[in-house]
Amino acid sequence: RSLASHFCQYWTGKKLVAKMSSERAFHRNSPPSSAWEIETLKELGFKKGMILRVKMVNFLTYDDCEVYPGPKLNVILGPNGTGKSTIMHAVCLACAGSPATVGRSPDLRQFVKQGKEDKETYIEIDLMSDGVKGHGKTVRVKRAISAETKAK
């Protein structure tokens, strides 16, 4: 197993369950509108605009990784090359940021994991919200990337 996958497992709580993590309020197999326990998130201290989940599939160093930040200060630690910056790149790009903004290649295709060019690649983030047209209290943003995608 790669160091990046080990880091991801540690960070998402598979080896260390954080009491303040948004993962406590997430139901994996539910549709986005009902995947989150809003009251639990509020009890943990989450407010409008806060990131609840970052999912990366075939993105830079990760095959498939979900990160569940807490409502306060989040620190990402690890050796070089384990994917710390990748998480920040994912957040920026999912929020419609330009690849040049993250200080890496201006070519969005370079964010597809090597050897996975023929596979689905995407970034997904869930944010705490007031709801959209009366539906839910979270928003899910997904940005798909492919080996053919060009950024402008």
Side-chain angles (χ1 to χ4, degrees):
R1 165 167 85 197
S2 75
L3 190 55
S5 77
H6 175 74
F7 171 73
C8 184
Q9 286 181 351
Y10 175 80
W11 179 252
T12 59
K14 292 179 184 169
K15 293 191 177 186
L16 176 70
V17 178
K19 291 181 182 178
M20 297 294 287
S21 170
S22 61
E23 187 174 21
R24 286 183 42 207
F26 184 64
H27 302 285
R28 287 193 194 294
N29 298 320
S30 299
S33 59
S34 61
W36 293 98
E37 293 175 15
I38 300 303
E39 291 309 312
T40 302
L41 291 171
K42 287 179 180 177
E43 287 171 16
L44 290 170
F46 284 91
K47 295 179 175 36
K48 178 180 169 184
M50 289 184 168
I51 297 172
L52 304 172
R53 180 180 74 108
V54 179
K55 180 174 177 133
M56 299 159 284
V57 175
N58 298 321
F59 183 75
L60 290 175
T61 55
Y62 294 114
D63 290 324
D64 188 347
C65 178
E66 292 181 88
V67 176
Y68 296 90
K72 307 251 187 240
L73 176 67
N74 289 276
V75 178
I76 302 172
L77 302 171
N80 290 343
T82 56
K84 300 177 301 295
S85 296
T86 299
I87 296 167
M88 296 302 100
H89 295 337
V91 170
C92 181
L93 292 174
C95 294
S98 163
T101 303
V102 298
R104 220 176 151 95
S105 172
D107 186 355
L108 195 57
R109 296 174 291 191
Q110 296 298 312
F111 290 85
V112 175
K113 185 172 182 178
Q114 286 186 339
K116 303 287 184 166
E117 294 83 5
D118 60 334
K119 305 287 184 194
E120 180 182 33
T121 300
Y122 64 90
I123 310 153
E124 196 173 80
I125 61 170
D126 290 358
L127 302 163
M128 190 78 164
S129 166
D130 283 337
V132 179
K133 296 183 182 177
H135 300 291
K137 295 287 184 184
T138 63
V139 173
R140 180 166 290 169
V141 178
K142 182 175 182 177
R143 185 169 188 180
I145 303 169
S146 74
E148 290 82 38
T149 305
K150 290 185 180 178
K152 296 179 180 166

